[in-house]
Amino acid sequence: RTDAKEAEDISARRYWDVAAEPGGAFWLATSDGLYRYAPPLWRAPPALRHVTAPVTCLAGDSAGRVWFAAGGRLGVFHKDQLEEFPSAAPLRKVYSLADASMLLETADGLARFQPRTGISTPLSPDAPGRQLRALGALPDGTVCVQSLAPSAGEGACVLLRCNGDRCE
């Protein structure tokens, strides 16, 4: 038949045969037709199954770790292990820096997170009254940051390069 359709339940009167495929898929030959089951393409690793909050942002680092923000926590997944760190404010963006630290953006501004110690240090704006906002990762392991002045005018918006220690 050329009109294949998905069936949620099978109400066959007879099952004739089953054929299993590698990876968990299988076929059922029944009196009502041929059915195929395949597991979902995306399955959460066992270490991540308890993470039920939506993931709001994620980033990979040079060590092969995956960093993500979910439910007011910063998580890192590496080699089937999950480590979580509490966050004082909801995370908007997460960036990996060249020195293996992370740049975090919250509503309060930017902070540098040191995975070895678990400590976040807020980054100071380049001038009083300005706000920093991360725009994107750069190939050299720094992050492009926008520095915004509270009022419009000349110099209201400046682009900076941030390496975690300072933005210039």
Side-chain angles (χ1 to χ4, degrees), residues 59-126:
D61 68 12
S62 59
R65 299 176 292 198
V66 176
W67 294 85
F68 63 92
R73 301 181 71 74
L74 175 65
V76 58
F77 180 70
H78 184 61
K79 295 184 179 178
D80 293 327
Q81 298 291 320
L82 174 66
E83 188 174 1
E84 293 181 292
F85 305 92
S87 177
L91 296 171
R92 292 181 177 172
K93 298 177 185 174
V94 178
Y95 294 99
S96 174
L97 296 170
D99 66 353
S101 64
M102 302 299 294
L103 185 70
L104 311 176
E105 181 180 310
T106 68
D108 299 330
L110 299 179
R112 180 183 187 187
F113 177 76
Q114 291 288 355
R116 285 179 236 102
T117 61
I119 296 174
S120 289
T121 308
L123 291 179
S124 300
D126 52 331

